[in-house]
Every structure is written in structure tokens, then in C-alpha cells.
Amino acid sequence: MSVSRFWRKIPQRYNLIGTRCTTCGRYFFPPRSLCPDCRRSGKIVDHKFNGEGTVVTYTVIRSASDQFENTTPYVLAVVELDEGPRLTTQIACPPEEAKIGMRVHSVFRRVAADGESGTIHYGTKFVPAE
Amino acid sequence: MSVSRFWRKIPQRYNLIGTRCTTCGRYFFPPRSLCPDCRRSGKIVDHKFNGEGTVVTYTVIRSASDQFENTTPYVLAVVELDEGPRLTTQIACPPEEAKIGMRVHSVFRRVAADGESGTIHYGTKFVPAE
Amino acid sequence: MRDVAVIGVGCTEFGEHWGTSFRDLFVKAGALALEDAGVTGENLDALYVGNMSAGRFVEQEHIGALIADYAGLATNHVPSTRVEAACASGGLAFRQAVIAVASGMEDIVVAAGVEKMTDVGTGASVDMLASAADREWEGFAGATFPGLYAMIATDYMHRYPLTREQLAEVAVKNHENGAKNPIAQFRNRITVDTVLNSSLVADPLRLFDCSPITDGAAAVVVVPLERAREFTDSPVRVLASAQASDTIALHDRRDISTLDASVAAGKRAFAQAGLAHRDIDMLEVHDCFTIAEICAIEDLGFCKKGEAGRLTAEGATALGGAIPVNTSGGLKACGHPVGATGIKQIYEIVSQLRGEATGRQVDAEIGMAHNVGGTGATVVVHILGA
Amino acid sequence: MRDVAVIGVGCTEFGEHWGTSFRDLFVKAGALALEDAGVTGENLDALYVGNMSAGRFVEQEHIGALIADYAGLATNHVPSTRVEAACASGGLAFRQAVIAVASGMEDIVVAAGVEKMTDVGTGASVDMLASAADREWEGFAGATFPGLYAMIATDYMHRYPLTREQLAEVAVKNHENGAKNPIAQFRNRITVDTVLNSSLVADPLRLFDCSPITDGAAAVVVVPLERAREFTDSPVRVLASAQASDTIALHDRRDISTLDASVAAGKRAFAQAGLAHRDIDMLEVHDCFTIAEICAIEDLGFCKKGEAGRLTAEGATALGGAIPVNTSGGLKACGHPVGATGIKQIYEIVSQLRGEATGRQVDAEIGMAHNVGGTGATVVVHILGA
Ligand SMILES: [Zn+2]
Ligand SMILES: [Zn+2]
């Protein structure tokens, strides 16, 4: 991933900053600049999510792309944030503990090493809530 | 360039092996597996070109892609082989000596260094005929 | 709008073509299709090419022109257009060709699909295929393409009574069909145990749940129906051409286990053709993973959600079943050169409707093709009739 | 075939959009076009997107679906198709939209183009742009994209009386126009000396002979002509839509200095529209390099081969000239986000025909757009009329 493409979304990736449509109240993460419901009449503002959520579905990745091959196996999941939107994320937990319906919260972690540039990408992962 | 993509065309790149349509007599380099004139009735066979040709047009590349940046400036030309077909190639000569109509012949040379894989690609260049 | 018919089809063998370049693959398929149609290159009005990722697989863009050139069509300056929708690129190329003929703009049009995938390593190709999904918000988190379908499978198996063995039956059936298809990449029969004993790729999906990395090309020729008899005694009519999109990311879908774009494109196709499910005699669906075939059969409305696994295990989708699915072997056994797959589906249906599917022939007058891009962000459905 | 009209246009500023992602760029242009057309997203029937190389620039394929999604169209499952023909991708997307409406298949269709080029370094983008030409047999030898056009210039200047100063006048004129265009990347005036003193890129072409690396997006809305008045009082008719291909490699062309695909597409467009050269009031041509504008004017038949340099130096192609060329500033000054350029040409012509090109307005009722892929392997020509 190119450096500028990564840095552009650092606030979103590091701090779970998405957006909200103040017209209809819908939350977006990943962030959207256009509300699909309100379109041009929707007013979009930034929103920092609290990072609490629930696992909707998951898998254990055993064979990954080059960037992630050193970290297999890892748990990949769709998490529904308490505010509504869903995102794809890793769950930092042993594969056998992952479950649908599991409560999780966000943490700041190393996500991937980019072989091409040598850069280490940080971002948000989730861990099981106590 | 991936290794298999390069190796597949080694006979063509190293030895100027193209093709010929025995139906109409037309020569092809780069090689073609279908004659645009005879189509399905054309019979295509390999043909080794003798490597003598004439410069049709040229330029001096001063700003190159990453693979070629260490070799700038270099002369790039369209050469018409004596058998008819034209190809794009480097002319190993000082920039100020390149001319339209100049007679050239082929030589086997290092063409590019691939930064990604570290591979050095060899192939055909042309030099001014004495 | 004019009615449109397919008058010729061609397909390379699918597999690893070490000695064949991207452009040679296409030329082979195109020549076969033109020969089958009894058309010569000079008569072509336009070309549509489905290709996902030549920019990354072979560092070449501008595929439409490249292919027109190497097919010998540059002299006549035949318009050639590449369309891309990841793994649905082939289906879309066919749809654009149909629209071009239906509009009256063109008469004799080739739709082709091609992908040369084996020139890069496995890690790189995993990465490239992930670009069919959301690179920024799925790929960045470590989602692979099998991983996304694995999450569909996890959700599906949590909600519906699909067993791991039933899922394996999809692969077993498709290898059985592939064994009878001379162009298939895999022509070996397998058992449920073969699937269950293969290595885990992304739980619960194993290696034999996944379609392979493949080189291949396919091409078909379409003309206005009113001109079809000039070329062939067995034209195949295009009864419907429908397309639908959905969110690029799986996490944004209404329902993880339902491809709403399949539902939408399927409904539109039935409406266009004025047909019902009972009229369809065979299906080619997009089984990039076993779970994808299960979802496809259901999302297109051929059974209720949760029933396709049982029906597959009972043989309803086998060659002799009530509704044969993926008689070609599907993506799983026939192979999946992503840009070519959608055209190969048309090739298979035309072969079946013309009674030329020797060894795997079913009794069919109407067939449906279902081609998916990514995890369902694009779906193209066609209905063809003899 | 139904007649087709443009009812709305939108374009982002062209330039380096560091803070804006690929998907946000498109959303901006699309929203502007819909607003201009007085159409809402729910009413759209289909979307066509021109994009050259998102697979390599931002590692994302499946651009059609991505864009439909972020434009808020996934809920309605609006079909969205990406077309690619290198730098002609935008023109092709427009053409596909026109065909879809002409066929009767769709009513309200958006054609858009987008490219985000500044996320990679210059060396990498030079390499990516070279994939518009023949990667195996031009790129491998060290051909850059400017290098190929430089070889056209060398051949041209050897055969015709074009001076280095006349060539520079193309850039001077286009910067003059760009200075008057609020969306242009470069709004500074330059002189012949600016060009002649800029660094050599590929002899005889210098930095100011070349179009820049640009981020940008543009979108237009097309409908059947019979419905255009529902939306606008100033619809712009599509009088012709023509496309032609040629060999992918420059070395395989009949004539190095003539883009035969321009000749063919131009002739087809004039024939479709039933118009002659004197009927055309303005041209947007594909000046990726100064020499390209010279060739375009001649290959489209607006003057004899060898005359366009003199005509340019005499001011015939300036805003007040006999046939204004590139009133937008062209690719040179307005910028060249490759996939967006062809749509921006339509945007400019519509703005001119509607009398909205404040500061650079010309007297025009009919305009022609000319969009080139690679060194001429694809050319798309459109004629629009007020
Ligand atoms: Zn809203
Ligand atoms: Zn021949």
C-alpha cells in the first residue's frame, strides 16, 4: 500500500473515526462522504466510535497474502459496532475462542508489514471484552 | 516483469525469432500466431531474423521508468528489419549519432535490471552497422 | 430493441498454460468461436473483452486494443472494449455485446473473456484477487478472498442446517461433471473425504472448497436474431440479460449469507424473459467456493434459503437431477480464469442447448448463467434458449 | 435506435488531491452531475465508469461496483460497469452509456471517469502509463509513454515542415485557455520560451510538451432525447458516437505520424451525424503531448497533413480562431487524470454549447470530442449538438 494512501486514512484507521449523517442519524464506518439514504440532503460529520461491538461472523485465515503470511493463523471477523455500522477486522484471540455473538472492543495494534516498502502498518484490531 | 513471463519469450528476445506466414509470405516480429491478412487460412512458422535493419524513427529517453533509470539517456528507436517487420529497440550509440535511415544490426545485450526481483534482463539491442 | 442470438462459441482448455502468452490464449478462443460461427474476422463489427487484472497479472492495460490487434482486427479498426467487474468481467462483456447488437449499433459482435493468472506467485495472486473486494477496508484488515466467502459460510452454517458434508458434495458433484468435460482443468473424481481431508484455507473452507488459479480464454459470437440463420441452423437466443450491483464490502450487506445482487439480477432476468423457475432446465452458477453455489441456487430462487445443501446431497443438481447445476464442472473443476469464466458459462449453455455436450449432455432447452464479481458486488444473469 | 441527449454534467477540480481518496473524488463529480441534471440517485438505471489503472494506482479492481456503492446506489442494485481503454477509458464509458440508452435497455444513465494518480511515485506512474502501450514489446525495450510520442514527433518533423516553436505554440495556447478554466490544474500562462527552456523528457519533447499527472473525476447524465425536456431546457444531443482500434504497438502502424484510428473514428462520426467539417464549431482533442494535438487536428481532417503547426502558430485554433481547439486547456493545462479525461471533454463541450464557459466561451452549436488510448490503439470520437 502506498504511503500517501495509508496516511490519508490514519485518523480513521487508528482511532475508529467514521462519519454520521445528521439528517437521518445513520452512522458510517468505514467513513462515507455521501449518505445512501439522504444523498444530497444528508449532512455528513465526523464521528469517533466508542469501539464496542459484537462479532457477526468470522473465519480463521490459514493462508494469507504476502503481507500477512507471518501472522497466520489469525481470526478475521465482521464486527457490528454498537452504533450500527459493520466493519472487517482481526480479532486478537486464539482461533478456538472466536464465536458469533462474542462481545469485543477495539485496540490499537500492528496490522501488517509491507514487504515492498518495509513499512509496518498500524491500525485497529478488536479483542474479546472481559 | 515476472520470471515466467520473461522466460517464455527468451528465444524471441535473445535470438530475434519471430514468425512468418507461409501462405502470404509476410514476416512478423514481435511474433504473431495469427496472420492478420490470411487469418485462419494462414500457416504460421517460426523465423529467425538476420538482424539487419534501418532506423525508421527514434528518440533519446532522458526520463525513464524505475527499471531503466540507471541507463538514461539512451536512444530508443523503431527499426525496420530487412525482412519487413518493425520493432521497438534501443540503439547502443551516442544520442547525437542517431539518425533516421541509419543502418543497424542486432546484438545481444543487457536490457534492464528489475528492481523488484533483482533479475537482470538480457535481450536484443541494435548497434550502427559499420 | 432487437432480439439477439449466439451463433458461435469457442473455448481454450482451462489450466496452467506455461508456454502460452496472454495474447495467444485469446487468439485461440477467438478463432474457435469464429470458426464455429462461420464468420470471418473481416465481418466483425465490434469486440467486447472481459478481463479482471491484466494490469497486475501481466502489467498490461488497454486489453481491448491488444486483443483486437493480435486477433488481426486492427487493419479494419474494429472497435474493441474491455469491461471489468472482477470475476464477473466475462458475464459483463457478454452483456455489453448483447446491448450493442440490441441497440442496432452493431451487427456481428464477439464477446470474449481471458485471464492469464499463473505468471505470478500464489501469494501475489491471493493479493490480486483480494482487489475484487474492498482493498481499503477489507484487504487492509487481512481479508483474503477465500476468507470473505468463509465468513459467508460461517454465518450461513450458524443460521441454516447446512452440514460440512453437504458443502463438500458441491465439490464432489462439480468434479464429477468436470471429469466429463474435455476443457476442464480438473478431470479427476473426488469424494467427500477428499474435501474434508484437504488443508484448511479459511475455516470452514478447505482447499477443495475453492476454485483454482487458472489460465484460459473463451469467446462467443452474437448477431441480431433476424440474421442468425445466415450463419447457423442452431442459433441460441438471448432471452434475458440482467445485471445488479451491491456494496463492495461484505460487511456492508443487508444479509451476510444472501447475495442481494443475485436476487435482484435473477428477478430482473425472469421478468425480462417472461419465464418462471420451472422453465429453466440447467444452471451455470458462480461456484468460486462451494458455499457460493449453495447461495446462488437459493438467491436465484430455485429453492428456499437453507435447502440447497440437502438438495445437492440428494443429487437434485447433478447431471441427472431435477435441475442440473454446473454441468461444465463449474469454477471448481472446470477452472476459474476470472475474466473468462462468465463467457465459459455461455459456452457451456450453448453447447448443452445445441446437444453437443458429449458425455455430460442434459435434456435442456433453456439455461441460465450466473456470474458474480467479488463477494457479490456485481452479479450478471443471462437466460438463453434453444 | 433512440436518439440520446446529455442533460447534466459535473467535474471536480483537476490537480493533486492529496487529501481526497479515489472514491471521494468520484462521489463529488457524480453529485455535481446529478444536481446539474436535476436527477436523484434513485432514478438512475445504470452507471458506466471509465478508469485505466486503479488496479495498479490504488490496488483496487471492481471499480464499477465500488463507485456505485459509495455513490449510494448499492441499495437499488444499479448496474455499474467499468470500461478500460487506457487514456480513452472515459470516452468509452460515455459511448457505452450512449449505446445502453440508444438500445432502449436503460433510460437514465451516468457515464463517469475517474483516476487517482498521485498516490504513487513518478517512476512508478511512468511505468504504469507505459502499460497503455505494448508492455512486452515496447515497454520491455525501454519505451516510455512520452518516448513513443517523441518518436512520432521525430518522424513527423522529418517529413513535414513543423518547427520546434510551432509545436510549443500548442502548449502556449492550451495554457492560455487553462488560465480561464476554474477546474484546470494549471492556470498560468506560458510562452514559447517556457517550453523551449524546460527540460528534455524524450527528444524532441520537453517537460512543457507533456500533460501532467493528475487526480480528478468527471460525470455526465444521458437520457433518451424524447425524455430530455423533463429534466432541462438545454439538452445537448449526441449526434455521433464512433470508436476505432489499431495495433497496440506504434511500430506496427501503417504510418508512424498518422493515427489511423483517429482517421477511422473521425470518418465514422461524420458519417453517423451526416455532418461535414465546416459544421463543427469547436474541438476537444487528446493532447497528451503537443505533437498529439497536431496529429489529431490533421487526422480528423480539419486540415492537410503538415499544416496544423502553422495554423496553431497563426491562432486558428485559439479561442477566437476559426476552429477553437481545447478550450478547456486540454490535457496539457486542464490536466490528465487518464480515466476522467474523455468525460471532461464532454463536460467542456456541453458547457460551451450551453453558453456556460464563462471567460473562455466560444460561439458554438456543434462540438467534437476526440479521446485516444495509448499511442492510438483506441480512438473514440463524439459529436454533440446544442
Ligand atoms: Zn442520512
Ligand atoms: Zn498471411
Side-chain angles (χ1 to χ4, degrees), chain B residues 5 57-59 62 74 88, chain D residues 136 141-142 151 154 201 203 251:
Chain B
R5 231 177 73 224
T57 185
Y58 70 95
T59 181
R62 314 249 172 202
Y74 55 88
T88 298
Chain D
E136 300 283 344
M151 292 201 291
T154 303
V201 173
D203 307 19
H251 57 236

Side-chain angles (χ1 to χ4, degrees), chain D residues 292-339:
Chain D
E293 179 165 321
I294 298 291
C295 290
I297 293 168
E298 296 167 350
D299 298 341
L300 292 171
F302 286 90
C303 66
K304 285 211 189 97
K305 209 73 201 167
E307 293 183 349
R310 179 179 54 76
L311 289 172
T312 302
E314 291 171 3
T317 60
L319 287 187
I323 173 88
V325 176
N326 283 330
T327 59
S328 69
L331 286 57
K332 174 68 195 84
C334 192
H336 183 28
V338 285

